[in-house]
């Protein structure tokens, strides 16, 4: 048994989809969440910059004495998964769990992937899907505007901007007959209703954040690292790198509760960078 918290980081709000699922699967676990709202989005940055940001985010979480880290960011999980090799803790990204779920879900072998530009350019989801289903046809589309829509709260099925963006990005994938679509950025499940409306009822949507949370729950249970069974309901602490107020309003809406008293601001720009080492741990 281990009552240390679970650490989760993302470029902004998207990782809250992981937190929400963790609260359902592991209600007794404490969670520390860091959203790098001051530098969102990551998906338009260079690979070197993304890795540097990830190392700073992880360094902060390690200071919180976490027992496991989830990179709740499709961009980091795709571009820089090797950062997990440099910590002596379990590290989980969102690519492999989602790819496995998509390979299991597809009926016609045509799997779509949407993500940030960096995620799609990395080809990480393509490679992961083919590990489970070599014969699958993987069709990808970057959707850079989706992150901005979520961060600004323009994400309901009734929002004309969100709908127009979804139609523009997804029409090609729909025409090519994908029957399974990986939401390859943890921001994207917040647009689930809009995406489902455009893709239609016969397309299975894979929530990367939820799949990563399920992987974390399984790992902690298998290793005996869950919080004690008599542990009270877990506490969530939220940290951001920009204004707390904007995060409070939007995050409270997504999580379905007021988190105003639990959010603090972190100067991540001047935070130490996790060094690279020669260990061989991974996801």
């Amino acid at each position: 048994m281990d009552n240390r918290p679970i650490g989760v980081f993302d470029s902004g709000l998207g990782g809250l989809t992981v937190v929400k699922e963790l609260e359902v699967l592991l209600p007794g676990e404490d969670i520390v969440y860091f959203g790098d709202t001051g530098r969102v989005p990551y998906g338009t940055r260079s690979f070197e910059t993304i890795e540097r940001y990830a190392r700073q985010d992880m360094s902060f979480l390690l200071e919180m004495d976490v027992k496991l880290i989830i990179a709740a960011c499709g961009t980091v999980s795709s571009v820089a998964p090797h950062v997990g090799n440099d910590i002596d803790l379990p590290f989980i990204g969102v690519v492999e769990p989602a790819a496995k779920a998509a390979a299991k879900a597809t009926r016609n072998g045509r799997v779509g992937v949407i993500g940030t530009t960096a995620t799609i350019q990395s080809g990480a989801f393509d490679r992961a899907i083919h590990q489970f289903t070599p014969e699958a046809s993987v069709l990808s589309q970057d959707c850079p505007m989706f992150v901005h829509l979520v961060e600004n709260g323009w994400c309901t099925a009734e929002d004309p901007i969100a709908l127009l963006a979804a139609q523009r990005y997804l029409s090609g994938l729909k025409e090519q007959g994908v029957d399974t679509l990986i939401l390859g950025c943890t921001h994207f499940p917040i647009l689930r209703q809009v995406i489902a409306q455009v893709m239609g009822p016969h397309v299975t949507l894979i929530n990367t954040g939820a799949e990563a949370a399920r992987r974390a729950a399984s790992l902690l249970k298998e290793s005996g690292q869950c919080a004690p069974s008599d542990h009270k309901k877990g506490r969530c602490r939220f940290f951001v790198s920009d204004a707390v107020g904007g995060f409070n309003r939007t995050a409270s809406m997504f999580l379905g509760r007021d988190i105003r008293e639990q959010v603090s601001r972190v100067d991540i720009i001047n935070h130490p960078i996790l060094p690279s080492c020669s260990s061989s741990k991974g996801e």
Side-chain angles (χ1 to χ4, degrees):
M1 294 184 183
D2 189 339
N3 59 12
R4 290 179 297 167
I6 297 170
V8 182
F9 76 92
D10 182 51
S11 62
L13 287 164
L16 293 173
T17 58
V18 175
V19 172
K20 190 171 185 178
E21 189 70 16
L22 286 172
E23 290 179 334
V24 173
L25 297 171
L26 300 168
E29 297 288 345
D30 291 339
I31 300 170
V32 176
Y33 180 83
F34 174 69
D36 195 2
T37 52
R39 302 188 295 198
V40 66
Y42 283 8
T44 56
R45 314 284 186 174
S46 69
F47 287 6
E48 294 78 13
T49 297
I50 293 165
E51 178 174 347
R52 176 163 48 87
Y53 287 179
R55 289 185 180 280
Q56 286 180 307
D57 300 347
M58 292 170 63
S59 178
F60 169 73
L61 288 178
L62 290 172
E63 291 181 358
M64 298 292 104
D65 192 29
V66 298
K67 61 185 173 185
L68 175 149
I69 290 180
I70 301 176
C73 177
T75 300
V76 170
S77 300
S78 300
V79 171
H82 53 278
V83 296
N85 297 335
D86 297 324
I87 60 173
D88 191 26
L89 292 174
F91 175 84
I92 295 173
V94 300
V95 173
E96 194 270 345
K100 185 176 183 179
K104 183 178 180 180
T106 185
R107 303 174 302 279
N108 67 4
R110 300 179 71 78
V111 179
V113 180
I114 56 175
T116 65
T117 301
T119 293
I120 298 305
Q121 289 179 346
S122 76
F125 278 101
D126 305 53
R127 293 190 295 274
I129 292 167
H130 285 136
Q131 286 183 347
F132 295 106
T133 309
E135 68 278 9
S137 176
V138 182
L139 307 160
S140 302
Q141 174 64 56
D142 64 332
C143 307
M145 280 296 296
F146 277 1
V147 173
H148 297 288
L149 292 174
V150 171
E151 293 289 330
N152 286 281
W154 301 337
C155 45
T156 67
E158 294 76 30
D159 191 301
I161 299 175
L163 182 58
L164 283 171
Q167 290 171 335
R168 172 68 66 88
Y169 285 140
L170 303 176
S171 59
L173 295 176
K174 184 175 182 180
E175 290 171 1
Q176 294 178 82
V178 302
D179 73 346
T180 303
L181 180 65
I182 294 178
L183 310 184
C185 171
T186 50
H187 284 74
F188 293 3
I190 298 170
L191 290 161
R192 186 184 186 93
Q193 288 185 324
V194 181
I195 294 169
Q197 182 176 331
V198 173
M199 295 302 296
H202 303 298
V203 176
T204 300
L205 304 182
I206 304 296
N207 182 332
T208 52
E211 296 301 330
R214 292 181 189 121
R215 171 64 63 82
S218 296
L219 190 155
L220 290 176
K221 290 173 182 176
E222 291 168 3
S223 63
Q225 287 184 279
C226 289
S229 57
D230 60 348
H231 195 237
K232 64 182 187 309
K233 180 175 174 56
R235 173 193 177 200
C236 287
R237 287 179 291 165
F238 301 92
F239 297 87
V240 295
S241 56
D242 203 355
V244 168
F247 180 87
N248 277 336
R249 290 189 297 272
T250 310
S252 295
M253 179 179 68
F254 292 140
L255 291 175
R257 67 177 189 280
D258 188 359
I259 64 170
R260 186 172 304 146
E261 302 300 323
Q262 307 168 59
V263 185
S264 303
R265 185 173 180 176
V266 174
D267 179 12
I268 199 67
I269 294 176
N270 295 312
H271 203 80
I273 298 174
L274 178 74
S276 177
C277 65
S278 57
S279 63
S280 59
K281 287 177 65 65
E283 180 182 338

